[in-house]
Amino acid sequence: MSVLAEVSGNLGAVGYGLAAIGPGIGVGIIFGQGVQAIARQPEAYGLIRQNMLLGFVLTEALALIGLVAPFIY
């Protein structure tokens, strides 16, 4: 007797769940490297923080596009 795996529910939700891994890793890298850069050059705190937040916003925008795309198409 064989047991077949069955995926029930909306596959768009499963796809978005898998796609959310990328932005999550990206945000971790952005803030990890930002903190490391601030530790190395504390005098450049303002510029590093600005670029770090800009990278965070762009990464999260991609995640939100991935959230909305299954509803549109």
Side-chain angles (χ1 to χ4, degrees):
M1 178 180 220
S2 66
V3 178
L4 298 175
E6 183 178 326
V7 177
S8 62
N10 188 359
L11 289 178
V14 174
Y16 177 69
L18 293 174
I21 294 171
I25 293 171
V27 168
I29 291 172
I30 288 168
F31 283 106
Q33 295 295 322
V35 169
Q36 186 178 22
I38 291 170
R40 288 175 183 235
Q41 290 187 325
E43 66 276 2
Y45 172 77
L47 180 64
I48 294 169
R49 182 174 176 265
Q50 178 182 2
N51 289 332
M52 188 169 59
L53 291 177
L54 180 64
F56 169 72
V57 168
L58 292 174
T59 304
E60 285 299 315
L62 289 175
L64 291 176
I65 290 171
L67 176 65
V68 174
F71 295 112
I72 294 174
Y73 300 111

